Amino acid sequence: MTHLPDGRFVDDEPFDPQASLLELERKDLDAPNWLLVWRKFKTHKLGLISGIFLFIAYFLIPFAGFIAPYGPNQRFSEHLYSPPQSIKLFHEGEFVGPFVYPMTSEANLETFQWEFKPDTSRPLKLKFFCEGSTYNLAGFIESNRHLFCASEEATIFIMGSDRLGRDIFSRVSYGAQLSLTVGLIGITVSFVLGIFFGSVAGYFGGRVDWTVNRVIEILRSLPELPLWLALSAAVPSNWSPVAVFFIISIILGILDWPGLARSVRAKFLSLREEEYVRAAEMMGASSGRVIRKHLLPNFMSHLIASATLSIPAMILGETALSFLGLGLRAPAVSWGVMLNDAQNLTSVEIYPWLAIPMLPIVIVVLAFNFLGDGLRDSLDPYQQ
């Protein structure tokens, strides 16, 4: 294949009148299904970028303590409501390397607030792979190494500090561990229940189908937010943050399965009349084997797309409950718990960086939605 200056491509091979015009299409049809899905998914740029971003985000979850310069509850009493600090490279026209200016605080006797100003005469270089607060790498390896730290005379608040002098960037990094994981646990519970009840109702029909449908209708008729609040309020306040986290995840999963069950039931009602299903039954296959080996694989593309679109709802549900003070509670750190501190609109108006935890929630939810759209269009490569 030769690339001409005008942008055209010319085949160097001589013309063969006996060659089949369907050769390229035949190769595509003989290609594995995963290859066809990947080829089509690559054309969905937003979905591809979102998938890469989410893969990196979940990959970095075990290393949140290494990335964060401080502990999630480490306080700096002299830097309450400190504004975000920028990392600079040049000082007075000379290259110094990554550094920050130390923040100096003064009391404003007119507004009765602390005002922070950078001391631009003293550039203090950042330290890398330095020692700091102790954390558990990947949950069980104790370490005190951090990716970057400020010198002892300075602080490094990339996103500012909150009302207790805690670094917001560090808390956002630690909060991702709970806020991103709650969606995975919740969707697992939802899928196990939804697939089980939906497949049983759609395959067997009759009284089983009637009973499952009545349960689904009852659950879907209940107002969602008040039900969340009632179930979350029933969690004992003396439970550990880990126990509350798992209970909240299970609650979100239990309340989300009826929608999936209805989708699975509707698909099974149409698939159970197919000839290959009848052939499997006549050959003596059990009901469980027919569902596992013949029905679910034909519905898997829809299930994967539904999962990527349901995880954002789980994340938003945990955020809403924690924001209202009925989900995860301090000392646990999640994005919803952090937004709970931003309920006072006056404080947010004065210190707008308190609302920064809202940004990763918006970005992650949009990324999951774009990824779900891309997967939904790609998992059926023969559609176009």
Side-chain angles (χ1 to χ4, degrees):
M1 189 73 72
T2 303
H3 188 196
L4 299 180
D6 58 0
R8 293 180 299 159
F9 290 89
V10 178
D11 194 352
D12 298 329
E13 298 293 331
F15 174 71
D16 184 6
Q18 303 299 326
S20 174
L21 297 177
L22 300 177
E23 183 178 358
L24 180 62
E25 289 76 3
R26 185 70 258 171
K27 290 181 179 178
D28 285 342
L29 292 175
D30 292 339
N33 188 67
W34 66 266
L35 182 59
L36 298 178
V37 171
W38 171 243
R39 287 178 183 174
K40 193 171 182 181
F41 182 70
K42 285 193 301 183
T43 62
H44 197 287
K45 299 301 182 183
L46 277 177
L48 182 62
I49 295 173
S50 299
I52 295 173
F53 167 76
L54 291 173
F55 175 79
I56 295 174
Y58 277 95
F59 176 78
L60 293 178
I61 282 179
F63 308 100
F66 172 72
I67 298 173
Y70 304 112
N73 295 307
Q74 186 174 350
R75 299 175 58 181
F76 295 86
S77 57
E78 297 181 356
H79 294 84
L80 309 183
Y81 293 120
S82 178
Q85 296 175 259
S86 58
I87 300 177
K88 301 182 180 296
L89 299 175
F90 295 89
H91 174 66
E92 296 181 353
E94 296 183 2
F95 180 78
V96 179
F99 71 91
V100 293
Y101 292 120
M103 300 294 290
T104 59
S105 57
E106 298 179 358
N108 189 327
L109 299 181
E110 295 182 358
T111 61
F112 299 100
Q113 296 175 1
W114 286 100
E115 294 183 352
F116 293 90
K117 297 181 180 178
D119 184 0
T120 56
S121 63
R122 290 197 305 151
L124 299 177
K125 297 185 65 175
L126 296 179
K127 298 182 291 184
F128 294 92
F129 302 101
C130 47
E131 296 184 357
S133 59
T134 304
Y135 61 91
N136 289 327
L137 186 66
F140 55 89
I141 303 175
E142 187 171 320
S143 176
N144 63 350
R145 288 286 173 182
H146 296 263
L147 178 61
F148 64 95
C149 305
S151 62
E152 297 179 356
E153 301 178 14
T155 56
I156 175 65
F157 296 142
I158 298 177
M159 297 180 178
S161 65
D162 61 8
R163 60 186 180 88
L164 298 178
R166 298 170 297 188
D167 178 33
I168 293 179
F169 173 76
S170 298
R171 289 175 62 80
V172 167
S173 301
Y174 278 97
Q177 294 179 320
L178 294 183
S179 294
L180 294 181
T181 310
V182 69
L184 298 181
I185 297 177
I187 204 65
T188 301
V189 175
S190 173
F191 263 52
V192 169
L193 295 176
I195 292 175
F196 175 76
F197 288 109
S199 59
V200 168
Y203 182 75
F204 292 103
R207 293 185 178 180
V208 176
D209 185 25
W210 186 90
T211 303
V212 172
N213 271 302
R214 299 296 81 75
V215 174
I216 291 175
E217 290 171 359
I218 292 173
L219 288 177
R220 291 179 68 89
S221 66
L222 298 175
E224 192 172 74
L225 184 58
L227 184 60
W228 280 358
L229 300 180
L231 293 176
S232 300
V235 178
S237 58
N238 59 346
W239 281 17
S240 66
V242 176
V244 174
F245 165 71
F246 280 104
I247 290 297
I248 294 298
S249 303
I250 293 173
I251 289 174
L252 294 175
I254 290 176
L255 297 181
D256 188 66
W257 71 265
L260 177 63
R262 276 197 163 179
S263 300
V264 174
R265 171 187 173 273
K267 190 68 175 179
F268 273 39
L269 286 174
S270 61
L271 290 178
R272 71 178 184 179
E273 305 299 333
E274 296 289 339
E275 293 182 358
Y276 65 89
V277 176
R278 294 300 183 191
E281 293 173 345
M282 293 176 64
M283 294 175 65
S286 63
S287 301
R289 181 176 178 82
V290 172
I291 292 175
R292 293 193 315 271
K293 298 294 184 179
H294 301 285
L295 293 177
L296 281 180
N298 287 279
F299 194 48
M300 194 54 65
S301 60
H302 178 81
L303 294 178
I304 295 175
S306 297
T308 56
L309 295 173
S310 297
I311 291 177
M314 301 285 180
I315 296 175
L316 292 175
E318 181 276 324
T319 301
L321 292 176
S322 299
F323 175 76
L324 296 173
L326 294 171
L328 296 173
R329 307 179 183 93
V333 181
S334 73
W335 295 339
V337 173
M338 296 181 65
L339 286 177
N340 184 266
D341 296 334
Q343 285 188 351
N344 192 334
L345 296 180
T346 304
S347 299
V348 175
E349 183 180 359
I350 301 174
Y351 313 110
W353 54 88
L354 293 179
I356 285 180
M358 178 180 60
L359 295 179
I361 297 174
V362 174
I363 294 173
V364 168
V365 169
L366 287 176
F368 269 114
N369 287 331
F370 291 143
L371 176 62
D373 290 339
L375 289 176
R376 184 173 53 193
D377 297 338
S378 306
L379 288 172
D380 188 6
Y382 299 104
Q383 183 178 5
Q384 296 179 356

